[in-house]
Amino acid sequence: SSSRSPVPNGMGGMPGNNRMMPGSSSQQQPPSSNGMNSSQSGGFQSGSMGQAFQNPSQSGMPPPNNMPNNSSSMQQFSSMPPPGQQQQQQQPRSMQSSSQQGSSSGTNDMPSIGASANSSQGSASRRNDSEWQKVRHKQQRLLLLRHASRCQYTGKCPVTPHCASMKKLWEHIAHCKNQQCTVSHCMSSRYVLSHYRRCKDARCPACAPVRETIRKSHEKEKGRGAPGLDTSFDAAPKPSSSGFDQSSMGASSTSPEYAPALKRTKMDHPATAPSSAPLSDPARSSSSQVTSAGPAAVPPSPSKPAQGMMKAVPPATKSQGPQSKGNEDRSLLNGFTVEELTTHLASLNRASQLPPAKLKQKCSEVLKGLQTHQHGWVFNCPVDPVELGLPDYFEVIKKPMDLGTIHKKLDSGAYHAIEDFQTDVNLTFDNAMTYNEKGTVVYDMAKELKDKFEADYKKLVAQLNAEDKERRENDRACVLCGCEKRLFEPPVFFCNGINCASKRIRRNSHFYIGGNNQYFWCNQCFNELDDGTPIELIDLTIQKADLLKKKNDEVHEESWVQCDVCEKWIHQICGLFNTRQNKEHHSEYCCPLCLLEKRKSNSPSPPPKPPGAADLPRTKLSEFLEKHVESKIGAKREQMAQDKAKAEDIPIEKARKIVNSGGPVIIRQVTSMDRKLEVREKMLQRYAHKKYPEEFPFRCKCIVVFQQIDGVDVVLFALYVYEHGEDNPPPNQRCVYISYLDSVHFMRPRRMRTFVYHEILIAYLDYARRRGFATAHIWACPPLKGDDYIFYAKPEDQKTPRDSRLRQWYIDMLVVCQKRSIVGKVTNMYDLYFADESLDATAVPYLEGDYFPGEAENIIKMLEEGGGKKGGASGKKKKQKNQSKSKNRGGTRSTGVDEEALIASGMMDGVKDFNELDRDQVMVKLGETIQPMKESFIVAFLNWEGAKKEDMEVPEAIAKYREENPNEKVALKSGTKRDADGKEREEDAPLDKDGRPIKVIDDDAEDLDCEFLNNRQAFLNLCRGNHYQFDELRRAKHTSMMVLWHLHNRDAPKFVQQCVACNREILSGKRYHCNSCPDYDLCEQCYRDPKTNRGNCNHKLQPIAVESNGDDGQGSTSGLTEAQRKQRQRNLLLHIQLIEHASRCNSTSCSSTNCAKMKNYLQHARTCKTKVQGGCRICKRIWTLLRIHAQKCKEPVCPIPQCMGIREKMRELQKQQQAMDDRRRLEMNRHYRMGVAGGAA
């Protein structure tokens, strides 16, 4: 695609991708017409800049309507031409001076610039009448525009006769993005606004008097007690999508004619290079992405990085009055206590929370000064008590430390906070001063170096604080974190081509997109498509010519929001702003700083928080895990506190406070659904003679762990397990598979992570054996670089463990299980299956996401291809010979296996005679492959009720430990409560805060359906599409807040469209969709506004109703009673049966009373134009029923509508998951082959 030249400030805007959350735009900062960067032009200058405001004699344009031309009127303005263009647009001949207009009381007073204000201009400006006239014109234009943006009069304005025409102009420039607009006054007004917002010069001849006049006007209004006043127009430049602060210029919320201030999205300057230019005018750019082809849209450059900002805009329609504060009460931030607000703000402090690279750099500089000091050699290496003759050293010094060890820890990224580095350096010198007496040489050396370190550290902290202060003083920086542009991880696309098998499309490479922008082809797969052959997709058919070429170089920036109290701009993520609760863009928002000040001054009790992790449905599994982990954490924390108090010689209360810095750990089960794993084609074909199952049903469960950190329930750990029950066919009977687990390192205290995660797995295995599962299978394989298991974009300093370390992590957990008699023998797949020559591949468990299914399929394919190539003609003779022998023996071997079936299956490939068929060749080849890495395929035998004695054998050390610690043994059946008849009864249900019992769901008998968490790939897609990242604590907090919102509003759309004109999310009402342009939607307000710039789209737009899914939690079932829950399950089953009947019924007079009604619903689902994406309630319910049916449907050709398509969609997700599993399997093979080859060499 061709690159585009930058356009002037506030003049550009082509619609961009509006399906994602507000992204960034790569825009170049346009130079001003005098060759200077816009950030350098502090005021209006003469020369080419001044030519934008010509003298009256240079124009022949008549004045605008209702603007008389008199001696005191403002002179003509002409437009600011785009760079490189010489034409100038003519502007109105005159505008009456605001200084000669009457002024009335109230908020609509129009301030004028009097002599006192004009006196600040300086003598130099007065010498040139022409230049002074231009400055005067700019001042009057600013004041008239300000008045027009604030005036509430609908009829004749008593303040100025120009009000009506200026209101029309204001409405126009609020939407205009045309860089060559011919509307009178548009270009010049946008230019004036652009300068006013950029200008920081207190002596600017144009802006300074305006700000001073407005300030005095506000003081006068405040003195009269006028409500709703706002001084933002005269404040320091703020990012705004108009040149003015709309919250101050919009109508008063007390007026019934005006709606409350809207929150809207705002775009920013380039993502590639920070710009210091501020926002120029009301026009907005809707582009949300950056491409190498140049800026798809160049928005007004803000005074702060204003991409994705939410800000007030002039109301376009009347409303019924001010917005209720209900939305505010549901805000997570508003529910914070003073302590939570304080800790949250502290976590955003960039002075103490340094990025890993900067932490290493700064600390290394200080450490280098210590190591190169003349006494540094003494402390650069660990103390060797043997060499130095210090036999009592470790008795005196419990925690040795030295500068060399600190250097290694810095290099390995072991430090996560500068305070940790300080602690270790001080410990080094404190140890030396503790062991050596005062006055000795070593003591004095340590004292000297410690003093030097304290001085250097103090300088470092002062430097960091100064840098942070400088960042925060920047008008374009977030006042919470002190940063400007913060970019998300780039989006990920998977190829839908036949040859790629859902591989990721490489960054910065070209690809092709089509099918409602839901399908992608890499360049190679696109070239292999036939021009004349239609591309059959799941839900539509397209041609190759319909595919659009793009480059995978999108960059998205964090969105911003403006506080309604202080009007400062902050990142939505820093401020925990939930855009999905921003109903109609009217939600009130108070930033953490203002909220903290409010809490401290008034000390009101905070309103209740929105539903959190503790409010999610509870299940028997989650209750079992949480109770077990809670008891273990309590004991562990007490032990850690005692150790810390003893080691650091501090009071036990202080040690407990430090150890208990993290909040409670909450464990919830979010999914429990029946699924099935289809056996791959070649495996099924090869072992068809053994009646190998076509599929293996299993129950998928997802467990999520939260910890309350700074008032937010943060997602820290997730686990997917697959349970194959006793009704499963062998070899999957009674086995559980630890499929995927993932975590982020934000748990507090940090060193509790491994302990807590181990205890969760231990508790789960204990729970599984109580329910009759016999074995647990684990494939210890870390993800490849660039891949994520569950959490999208993990922290930079969280390293991916090597396979040996990950394997040991699991083994350590299983050893604890053995000590507690939860697990018996721990072995591996090779020793259990492949070392036994009597077994074939049908004896190996076939588990989703495991190593075996993919590798077995490859080996079978290799055997088939290899046998055909090597055999040739002789192969045919051998085949004929074997067939003749088969006939002589009656067609079966002594084992009873049909020999013809064996030959047809391909198992005889490469085997000379039946007598040589000692083993299954698949087992032989697979065993050879996994033998070098067999320890990674862990199998643990659970100590269940039917466990065999030989499976319970444990090492001698474990048996001895059990004898010495009998109290740690966990009984298979704990002491259960019994009723008067001696029968077991369930444990008492947990109680809520009001003392009412909470329903605990039986996760085996009742489904827990969560569409975006039913499999990890769906959750990854949700996070990628909405920029829900975990790479920083602040992002993990915001992501967790949004994930919990989705969990409590499961029926709400996972992705929302954005208006390409105003860039707001369309959450309710109607959206107007273009079926020709990719990702093109307009909100209802922009659609009805004839002045809306629609870019290149001139097609007819289709109205689609958007269902308003509020935060009422209707999508959650946590609040249902047991009777309601059972009724809901019964209704689902009845409706699914009805939908199955109606799909097959051809009778016109069916006996079922509901058959005709369901047929009508199905017909509606086929013809509805709103669909599920548009929010149609009927379609949504039908889709839910169809999805539940499709998950369990086994018919090869199902007559139920959409069943085949839904199953194909599920297969697509499975393919993406399998593609990642195959990549890590191949990488594991390559790694171990290289290791074996290296060892042999």
Side-chain angles (χ1 to χ4, degrees):
S1 56
S2 60
S3 60
R4 299 177 187 149
S5 301
V7 298
N9 291 339
M11 299 181 183
M14 297 295 294
N17 188 329
N18 68 321
R19 294 182 65 86
M20 307 290 282
M21 296 287 284
S24 70
S25 299
S26 177
Q27 302 104 8
Q28 301 177 16
Q29 177 59 42
S32 54
S33 57
N34 62 354
M36 295 176 60
N37 185 291
S38 60
S39 63
Q40 297 171 329
S41 55
F44 290 89
Q45 302 179 14
S46 58
S48 58
M49 262 190 149
Q51 291 171 7
F53 302 89
Q54 297 178 349
N55 294 325
S57 58
Q58 295 175 311
S59 171
M61 177 178 283
N65 295 334
N66 300 326
M67 287 193 180
N69 185 11
N70 55 40
S71 59
S72 60
S73 64
M74 293 179 63
Q75 302 299 322
Q76 162 191 337
F77 290 75
S78 71
S79 66
M80 178 68 178
Q85 298 184 17
Q86 299 301 321
Q87 69 269 24
Q88 295 177 341
Q89 298 178 3
Q90 296 183 345
Q91 299 298 324
R93 187 180 302 272
S94 63
M95 296 177 66
Q96 188 170 358
S97 172
S98 61
S99 61
Q100 297 182 359
Q101 300 301 324
S103 177
S104 62
S105 62
T107 57
N108 291 317
D109 287 353
M110 181 179 169
S112 60
I113 304 176
S116 60
N118 293 336
S119 63
S120 63
Q121 295 302 322
S123 57
S125 299
R126 298 182 181 275
R127 293 189 191 128
N128 190 324
D129 292 341
S130 175
E131 291 300 318
W132 169 243
Q133 192 73 354
K134 294 172 189 176
V135 170
R136 182 71 174 174
H137 294 165
K138 296 166 191 174
Q139 295 168 349
Q140 293 167 335
R141 178 66 61 89
L142 287 170
L143 292 173
L144 283 172
L145 286 172
R146 174 184 180 270
H147 168 80
S149 69
R150 308 178 77 221
C151 182
Q152 299 181 23
Y153 289 100
T154 55
K156 183 178 180 181
C157 176
V159 180
T160 171
H162 306 312
C163 180
S165 57
M166 293 306 291
K167 280 182 179 178
K168 292 180 181 179
L169 175 62
W170 178 255
E171 291 179 3
H172 169 78
I173 63 178
H175 302 285
C176 181
K177 301 170 188 170
N178 187 357
Q179 59 182 350
Q180 296 181 0
C181 182
T182 57
V183 174
S184 298
H185 312 296
C186 173
M187 297 294 289
S188 61
S189 297
R190 284 157 58 181
Y191 174 71
V192 173
L193 294 173
S194 173
H195 171 83
Y196 182 82
R197 278 303 176 190
R198 281 202 314 268
C199 181
K200 300 178 184 178
D201 186 1
R203 296 175 296 176
C204 175
C207 302
V210 175
R211 291 198 176 98
E212 178 64 18
T213 301
I214 295 174
R215 185 187 65 79
K216 291 181 178 180
S217 173
H218 278 305
E219 289 177 355
K220 188 183 300 182
E221 290 170 340
K222 286 181 180 179
R224 290 195 300 263
L229 295 177
D230 195 336
T231 59
S232 61
F233 185 92
D234 194 42
K238 296 183 178 68
S240 167
S241 54
S242 65
F244 297 92
D245 185 342
Q246 307 279 0
S247 61
S248 65
M249 300 175 193
S252 170
S253 62
T254 60
S255 171
E257 297 183 357
Y258 288 87
L262 297 173
K263 297 281 186 182
R264 75 171 178 187
T265 306
K266 189 74 183 68
M267 303 305 296
D268 187 24
H269 53 275
T272 53
S275 169
S276 58
L279 190 68
S280 58
D281 64 62
R284 286 169 300 219
S285 167
S286 59
S287 173
S288 61
Q289 61 190 29
V290 180
T291 62
S292 62
V298 182
S301 48
S303 62
K304 287 183 186 175
Q307 195 288 325
M309 291 181 174
M310 308 303 294
K311 177 154 175 71
V313 296
T317 58
K318 296 183 181 181
S319 178
Q320 298 303 318
Q323 179 77 4
S324 168
K325 293 190 178 181
N327 285 331
E328 181 182 358
D329 294 339
R330 287 192 293 269
S331 166
L332 174 63
L333 193 66
N334 283 330
F336 278 14
T337 63
V338 171
E339 183 181 359
E340 289 169 343
L341 286 168
T342 304
T343 54
H344 174 67
L345 289 170
S347 70
L348 299 173
N349 185 0
R350 301 276 293 180
S352 56
Q353 306 294 327
L354 297 178
K358 188 170 184 178
L359 177 66
K360 179 180 177 181
Q361 174 200 349
K362 295 295 184 181
C363 293
S364 295
E365 293 172 0
V366 175
L367 184 64
K368 184 178 180 181
L370 298 175
Q371 289 186 302
T372 56
H373 190 270
Q374 59 178 345
H375 302 322
W377 63 272
V378 178
F379 307 97
N380 283 341
C381 300
V383 174
D384 188 344
V386 177
E387 183 181 350
L388 299 176
L390 308 173
D392 61 342
Y393 185 78
F394 292 121
E395 296 178 7
V396 178
I397 304 302
K398 300 299 182 184
K399 190 176 178 182
M401 186 56 62
D402 63 278
L403 300 182
T405 302
I406 295 172
H407 183 78
K408 291 178 181 177
K409 291 176 73 173
L410 271 177
D411 285 343
S412 63
Y415 293 116
H416 305 287
I418 194 171
E419 292 81 7
D420 299 334
F421 168 75
Q422 178 194 20
T423 300
D424 276 357
V425 175
N426 282 331
L427 180 62
T428 301
F429 302 129
D430 289 342
N431 285 346
M433 296 167 67
T434 300
Y435 189 80
N436 297 276
E437 294 182 1
K438 189 174 183 179
T440 61
V441 176
V442 176
Y443 182 97
D444 292 341
M445 288 179 175
K447 183 70 169 63
E448 183 179 344
L449 278 179
K450 185 176 182 181
D451 292 341
K452 172 179 170 53
F453 169 70
E454 288 176 350
D456 292 346
Y457 183 78
K458 189 175 181 180
K459 289 180 183 177
L460 174 60
V461 172
Q463 179 188 352
L464 293 174
N465 288 332
E467 292 175 359
D468 184 64
K469 183 179 179 182
E470 183 180 357
R471 283 194 301 266
R472 292 175 187 277
E473 289 176 351
N474 184 351
D475 291 326
R476 297 181 305 277
C478 170
V479 296
L480 299 183
C481 69
C483 295
E484 297 184 40
K485 299 176 72 68
R486 306 195 78 155
L487 302 180
F488 288 114
E489 283 289 307
V492 179
F493 302 101
F494 295 92
C495 179
N496 293 104
I498 298 176
N499 299 327
C500 275
S502 296
K503 289 183 180 178
R504 292 172 64 162
I505 296 175
R506 288 184 292 108
R507 186 76 177 148
N508 293 318
S509 64
H510 286 93
F511 69 103
Y512 294 82
I513 184 171
N516 296 327
N517 294 332
Q518 295 180 359
Y519 300 94
F520 313 97
W521 286 262
C522 66
N523 200 43
Q524 180 180 353
C525 291
F526 174 81
N527 292 332
E528 293 175 358
L529 293 174
D530 187 3
D531 293 337
T533 305
I535 305 170
E536 298 289 342
L537 301 174
I538 299 169
D539 48 357
L540 74 164
T541 301
I542 58 176
Q543 298 290 332
K544 181 178 180 180
D546 298 332
L547 304 183
L548 301 176
K549 187 175 183 180
K550 284 194 173 185
K551 191 171 184 180
N552 187 12
D553 60 353
E554 294 182 12
V555 178
H556 296 270
E557 185 198 339
E558 285 189 18
S559 301
W560 294 69
V561 65
Q562 187 185 35
C563 174
D564 290 325
V565 179
C566 66
E567 296 183 346
K568 293 179 180 177
W569 289 94
I570 61 176
H571 295 118
Q572 291 182 12
I573 289 178
C574 294
L576 295 175
F577 181 74
N578 185 351
T579 57
R580 304 300 290 274
Q581 288 180 315
N582 187 25
K583 295 303 171 188
E584 301 296 333
H585 310 283
H586 290 89
S587 299
E588 296 181 13
Y589 177 73
C590 182
C591 72
L593 291 171
C594 295
L595 196 58
L596 180 61
E597 185 178 350
K598 178 181 175 183
R599 291 273 192 274
K600 287 181 176 179
S601 59
N602 300 331
S603 300
S605 58
K609 292 182 181 179
D615 301 301
L616 292 172
R618 301 176 185 232
T619 65
K620 289 185 175 180
L621 173 57
S622 68
E623 286 295 289
F624 184 89
L625 298 181
E626 191 171 69
K627 287 180 180 178
H628 170 87
V629 173
E630 187 178 357
S631 63
K632 295 295 181 181
I633 288 178
K636 180 69 173 179
R637 281 181 169 170
E638 181 60 27
Q639 179 188 344
M640 290 172 61
Q642 292 178 1
D643 294 343
K644 189 173 187 67
K646 185 177 180 181
E648 300 182 13
D649 193 21
I650 59 176
I652 186 66
E653 292 78 11
K654 183 178 179 180
R656 285 184 183 136
K657 185 176 181 181
I658 297 172
V659 170
N660 294 326
S661 58
V665 173
I666 304 168
I667 302 175
R668 288 294 180 268
Q669 182 179 354
V670 292
T671 62
S672 181
M673 295 293 293
D674 286 330
R675 286 171 53 185
K676 57 181 182 293
L677 171 62
E678 296 178 356
V679 177
R680 300 194 188 188
E681 180 182 359
K682 295 188 180 298
M683 181 74 181
L684 186 63
Q685 180 182 349
R686 186 176 181 90
Y687 296 100
H689 65 282
K690 286 203 166 189
K691 295 182 171 47
Y692 195 72
E694 295 182 1
E695 62 185 22
F696 291 97
F698 62 93
R699 195 157 183 87
C700 171
K701 297 181 178 180
C702 177
I703 298 148
V704 179
V705 178
F706 303 83
Q707 186 184 29
Q708 194 172 92
I709 300 176
D710 304 334
V712 184
D713 293 331
V714 181
V715 179
L716 297 178
F717 177 87
L719 168 68
Y720 279 90
V721 294
Y722 301 153
E723 298 179 347
H724 296 260
E726 61 179 338
D727 56 342
N728 249 241
N732 285 15
Q733 198 173 42
R734 291 186 181 276
C735 76
V736 296
Y737 182 51
I738 309 295
S739 176
Y740 300 97
L741 62 83
D742 206 353
S743 68
V744 286
H745 62 35
F746 301 122
M747 178 169 280
R748 295 179 181 173
R750 194 183 184 112
R751 54 182 178 151
M752 286 278 288
R753 288 177 61 221
T754 296
F755 174 80
V756 172
Y757 302 155
H758 273 178
E759 289 298 335
I760 292 171
L761 289 174
I762 292 168
Y764 172 73
L765 294 179
D766 187 17
Y767 182 81
R769 69 173 182 135
R770 293 168 188 259
R771 292 175 48 245
F773 290 99
T775 57
H777 297 258
I778 302 172
W779 177 20
C781 178
L784 298 182
K785 183 179 180 180
D787 280 340
D788 295 303
Y789 274 170
I790 301 173
F791 297 137
Y792 174 54
K794 290 193 283 297
E796 179 187 348
D797 58 336
Q798 180 173 328
K799 297 183 178 179
T800 302
R802 298 186 301 272
D803 55 345
S804 58
R805 183 179 179 87
L806 180 61
R807 183 169 62 244
Q808 190 59 47
W809 190 89
Y810 281 114
I811 293 297
D812 292 343
M813 179 270 298
L814 291 171
V815 167
V816 178
C817 288
Q818 286 180 319
K819 291 178 178 179
R820 298 180 187 175
S821 297
I822 296 171
V823 165
K825 182 169 66 175
V826 177
T827 181
N828 59 74
M829 282 184 63
Y830 181 86
D831 293 342
L832 188 61
Y833 303 111
F834 298 96
D836 188 346
E837 296 185 357
S838 64
L839 300 178
D840 61 14
T842 61
V844 183
Y846 200 89
L847 307 168
E848 179 170 323
D850 195 28
Y851 178 92
F852 173 73
E855 190 65 19
E857 199 75 359
N858 277 0
I859 287 176
I860 294 171
K861 181 180 179 181
M862 181 189 69
L863 288 173
E864 290 176 353
E865 294 175 351
K869 291 179 181 178
K870 294 179 181 177
S874 62
K876 294 181 180 178
K877 293 180 181 178
K878 291 176 184 176
K879 187 173 181 180
Q880 292 173 358
K881 184 178 179 181
N882 291 338
Q883 287 176 345
S884 63
K885 288 184 180 180
S886 170
K887 291 180 181 179
N888 294 336
R889 286 197 294 267
T892 58
R893 290 173 54 81
S894 59
T895 58
V897 176
D898 188 343
E899 292 178 358
E900 292 183 1
L902 281 173
I903 294 170
S905 69
M907 293 183 65
M908 293 300 298
D909 292 342
V911 180
K912 296 179 180 178
D913 195 274
F914 278 108
N915 296 327
E916 296 180 12
L917 188 60
D918 297 327
R919 289 209 65 192
D920 180 2
Q921 293 301 300
V922 175
M923 291 292 279
V924 173
K925 297 292 184 184
L926 193 54
E928 292 173 356
T929 302
I930 74 168
Q931 198 277 335
M933 48 185 168
K934 65 179 185 178
E935 300 299 335
S936 296
F937 305 99
I938 303 169
V939 181
F941 287 90
L942 303 179
N943 185 12
W944 67 295
E945 196 172 22
K948 298 178 182 179
K949 185 177 179 181
E950 59 268 23
D951 294 336
M952 293 298 104
E953 295 177 357
V954 294
E956 185 179 346
I958 299 294
K960 185 178 179 181
Y961 181 89
R962 288 178 179 178
E963 294 176 3
E964 295 174 353
N965 301 273
N967 294 333
E968 290 203 18
K969 183 177 179 179
V970 180
L972 181 59
K973 289 189 176 181
S974 57
T976 54
K977 297 181 181 180
R978 298 179 182 274
D979 57 20
D981 298 329
K983 296 181 180 180
E984 293 184 7
R985 63 183 178 88
E986 294 185 1
E987 295 184 5
D988 295 334
L991 304 177
D992 63 12
K993 59 183 179 181
D994 298 323
R996 294 171 297 188
I998 300 174
K999 168 63 181 174
V1000 177
I1001 301 171
D1002 185 347
D1003 53 287
D1004 292 316
E1006 190 173 336
D1007 289 346
L1008 272 177
D1009 184 17
C1010 182
E1011 186 179 357
F1012 63 91
L1013 273 167
N1014 281 339
N1015 63 73
R1016 65 170 190 87
Q1017 193 61 49
F1019 183 65
L1020 276 174
N1021 291 344
L1022 173 78
C1023 292
R1024 285 170 179 153
N1026 289 307
H1027 300 300
Y1028 296 161
Q1029 297 185 190
F1030 291 87
D1031 53 340
E1032 298 175 336
L1033 176 59
R1034 63 185 198 92
R1035 282 180 173 168
K1037 288 179 183 178
H1038 187 269
T1039 295
S1040 302
M1041 177 187 73
M1042 297 307 301
V1043 168
L1044 280 169
W1045 186 89
H1046 283 291
L1047 284 170
H1048 286 289
N1049 298 272
R1050 301 192 184 196
D1051 290 337
K1054 308 304 175 289
F1055 307 93
V1056 293
Q1057 282 75 22
Q1058 287 177 253
C1059 175
V1060 297
C1062 64
N1063 215 29
R1064 292 202 300 260
E1065 291 179 352
I1066 308 174
L1067 300 176
S1068 59
K1070 288 183 180 180
R1071 64 183 176 94
Y1072 292 81
H1073 178 71
C1074 178
N1075 293 316
S1076 302
C1077 301
D1079 289 336
Y1080 192 100
D1081 290 274
L1082 286 179
C1083 66
E1084 194 160 7
Q1085 181 180 345
C1086 293
Y1087 174 77
R1088 298 191 183 283
D1089 187 350
K1091 301 174 184 177
T1092 296
N1093 183 4
R1094 292 180 53 175
N1096 292 332
C1097 178
N1098 54 6
H1099 310 104
K1100 184 178 179 181
L1101 301 185
Q1102 174 189 356
I1104 299 176
V1106 178
E1107 181 181 357
S1108 178
N1109 286 284
D1111 45 9
D1112 53 3
Q1114 291 179 357
S1116 175
T1117 60
S1118 57
L1120 300 180
T1121 64
E1122 183 174 2
Q1124 290 172 331
R1125 200 181 300 279
K1126 287 181 179 179
Q1127 184 63 34
R1128 183 176 181 273
Q1129 288 289 108
R1130 192 180 303 112
N1131 289 341
L1132 275 175
L1133 292 175
L1134 289 174
H1135 279 86
I1136 290 172
Q1137 291 173 6
L1138 179 60
I1139 208 170
E1140 291 171 350
H1141 164 79
S1143 301
R1144 294 180 172 91
C1145 179
N1146 296 320
S1147 173
T1148 55
S1149 58
C1150 182
S1151 58
S1152 173
T1153 56
N1154 291 317
C1155 179
K1157 186 181 293 186
M1158 181 56 73
K1159 285 180 180 177
N1160 290 334
Y1161 284 147
L1162 292 174
Q1163 179 64 24
H1164 166 86
R1166 279 190 288 266
T1167 58
C1168 178
K1169 307 222 171 174
T1170 304
K1171 301 291 185 187
V1172 176
Q1173 293 84 355
C1176 175
R1177 290 183 179 272
I1178 296 176
C1179 290
K1180 184 173 288 188
R1181 289 169 183 170
I1182 293 295
W1183 176 263
T1184 301
L1185 295 172
L1186 292 173
R1187 184 167 57 84
I1188 295 173
H1189 160 81
Q1191 288 174 341
K1192 300 179 181 180
C1193 181
K1194 299 180 181 180
E1195 295 187 28
V1197 181
C1198 181
I1200 293 180
Q1202 297 297 325
C1203 177
M1204 303 300 292
I1206 295 172
R1207 283 156 67 181
E1208 188 61 32
K1209 280 277 189 185
M1210 292 160 63
R1211 288 191 194 99
E1212 285 294 324
L1213 277 178
Q1214 231 173 9
K1215 283 181 183 178
Q1216 289 184 18
Q1217 194 160 303
Q1218 283 180 0
M1220 196 196 78
D1221 294 333
D1222 289 342
R1223 285 197 301 273
R1224 61 177 181 148
R1225 174 175 52 80
L1226 294 172
E1227 177 59 25
M1228 195 171 186
N1229 291 346
R1230 185 193 67 79
H1231 173 73
Y1232 277 95
R1233 285 196 194 104
M1234 290 178 60
V1236 171

